[in-house]
Amino acid sequence: MERNGSIENLVIVGTGCAGLTAAIYAARANLSPLVLEGREPGGQLTTTTLVENFPGFPDGIDGPQLIMNMHRQAEKFGARFRYAEVDAFEPGKNLHRLKVDGEWLEAKSVIVASGASAKWLGLPNEKGMKGHGLTSCATCDGAFYRNVPVCVVGGGDTACEEAVFLTKFASEVHLIHRRDSFRASAILAERALNHPKIKPVWNTVITEYLADEKGEMRAVKIKNVETNEESTLEVKCVFIAIGHTPNTDAFRNWLPTDKSGYLLKKQGSVTEIAGVFAAGDVVDPYYRQAVTAAGQGCMAAMDAERYLTDQE
Ligand code: NAP
């Protein structure tokens, strides 16, 4: 399918697993997609070290390397990349407009794969500790911490679920919550509270990450918010599970979202707006895996290709 002057066939917003997989499929379908790399090029995988659960890599692969490979694969088939943020979006009947670095682009179809950002505590050495015993994904990193104590921060469904998951590996799981009751659904909260390896640490916040001489997590300083009492808790990994923020700034005025801000789809990747598709963590508060995001990216590219063919 040829591009028509300055009108794009397909603009893909985001270069995480979903956006890049959509780019590979769309490029191979001759759509010559324009892929916009936003605030966090490469998405959440660029903040991970070894990825051991992406099929096809029995020895694991570094997150940034996996993203670079996908990028190269998409470019090889003709995807075009541009470092730019979408400042605004205006849907149209046949053409949608995206304001990118002050310039309006027109596109026949759009895939929103702008991801979600994990929320972090905002402690001073947080950035440097990521990948060195500080993570936001138990499914990705839990298996690296066998027979050692770890902690999970949060009191929602994710925190309780991840704490239970981590009991498969860790010697004990401290579940640190800033209040004295969980926000999680009763069943998940009970599962966590009844588990012999899970130790709830109520009314408590982490005030500092403490690294060993190699820069790996060795402990956290914690403070009881009721008594202001401070202490040190020895853990080899801190799993932050305080929620994610889907990156929907430009789109949420036009596309419906759930109460947490995730975009809602009608079916597959199809949204309420004809020609606009959504994939990956921006629509998925639940699975949030590289492989599920990649699968959704594939679906979105196929849906976009079928839509464009029908339009012709
Ligand atoms: P969430 O429900 O927003 O819970 C976030 C938790 O982190 C809350 O307990 C909150 O404390 C705490 N928190 C937030 N900011 C914090 C900070 N700066 N410092 C310390 N603690 C902080 O997020 P979630 O657990 O990721 O769940 C997101 C959505 O996915 C929910 O709708 C959930 O039901 C759904 N989900 C469902 C399942 C399932 O059904 N199996 C599994 C996972 C997620 P407060 O309680 O004090 O606000």
Side-chain angles (χ1 to χ4, degrees):
M1 196 177 293
E2 289 301 307
R3 275 203 306 134
N4 179 5
S6 60
I7 297 175
E8 299 289 340
N9 287 321
L10 171 63
V11 172
I12 298 172
V13 182
T15 52
C17 271
L20 290 175
T21 307
I24 294 166
Y25 273 77
R28 293 192 76 246
N30 252 356
L31 297 180
S32 184
L34 175 66
V35 191
L36 301 178
E37 313 222 30
R39 209 177 305 155
E40 284 178 56
Q44 292 184 58
L45 270 192
T46 57
T47 64
T48 324
T49 48
L50 195 62
V51 179
E52 283 191 320
N53 55 7
F54 201 88
F57 298 94
D59 301 320
I61 180 166
D62 270 347
Q65 185 64 51
L66 180 59
I67 287 295
M68 265 158 50
N69 290 356
M70 289 187 187
H71 199 289
R72 202 154 54 83
Q73 197 173 353
E75 245 172 356
K76 175 176 139 186
F77 293 115
R80 294 164 299 125
F81 286 84
R82 179 166 163 187
Y83 283 97
E85 291 239 0
V86 178
D87 300 321
F89 166 72
E90 281 180 11
K93 192 160 176 286
N94 299 311
L95 283 181
H96 308 296
R97 283 162 37 96
L98 298 127
K99 195 175 185 190
V100 173
D101 288 346
E103 173 203 352
W104 283 98
L105 293 178
E106 286 188 307
K108 294 179 194 170
S109 64
V110 177
I111 293 175
V112 184
S114 44
S117 305
K119 292 183 192 164
W120 296 92
L121 299 180
L123 296 176
N125 58 342
E126 197 155 60
K127 204 168 168 205
M129 291 306 295
K130 285 181 194 168
H132 299 280
L134 178 63
T135 171
S136 61
C137 181
T139 314
C140 318
D141 297 323
F144 296 124
Y145 298 94
R146 287 174 194 270
N147 305 318
V148 291
V150 301
C151 70
V152 175
V153 182
D157 283 335
T158 304
C160 290
E161 204 170 56
E162 297 209 335
V164 172
F165 175 76
L166 288 167
T167 60
K168 291 175 201 252
F169 315 105
S171 55
E172 53 187 1
V173 181
H174 301 275
L175 183 45
I176 301 176
H177 184 34
R178 63 184 176 184
R179 294 189 294 120
D180 64 359
S181 65
F182 289 137
R183 161 187 305 274
S185 53
I187 185 161
L188 291 178
E190 273 166 32
R191 209 172 283 164
L193 287 172
N194 292 335
H195 200 290
K197 275 194 183 177
I198 296 178
K199 317 256 182 282
V201 188
W202 302 114
N203 297 315
T204 295
V205 293
I206 293 181
T207 54
E208 199 178 337
Y209 304 118
L210 303 173
D212 64 15
E213 64 286 353
K214 290 183 184 147
E216 300 294 323
M217 188 76 72
R218 70 171 172 84
V220 286
K221 263 196 185 156
I222 53 175
K223 184 171 100 173
N224 183 304
V225 292
E226 296 279 290
T227 62
N228 282 334
E229 194 183 319
E230 289 191 296
S231 54
T232 301
L233 183 65
E234 293 203 1
V235 286
K236 294 288 182 200
C237 191
V238 179
F239 293 85
I240 303 289
I242 61 171
H244 284 72
T245 310
N247 303 319
T248 58
D249 285 359
F251 300 95
R252 63 172 163 246
N253 287 342
W254 299 101
L255 290 169
T257 61
D258 69 10
K259 64 179 176 10
S260 307
Y262 289 86
L263 297 184
L264 294 173
K265 300 172 296 175
K266 277 201 315 193
Q267 196 195 354
S269 72
V270 175
T271 71
E272 292 286 329
I273 302 172
V276 178
F277 307 88
D281 285 10
V282 76
V283 290
D284 176 15
Y286 189 71
Y287 296 103
R288 295 200 297 246
Q289 298 302 299
V291 69
T292 52
Q296 290 173 27
C298 157
M299 288 158 61
M302 291 177 72
D303 288 339
E305 200 267 329
R306 283 177 193 150
Y307 167 82
L308 290 167
T309 303
D310 287 349
Q311 293 302 102
E312 279 182 353

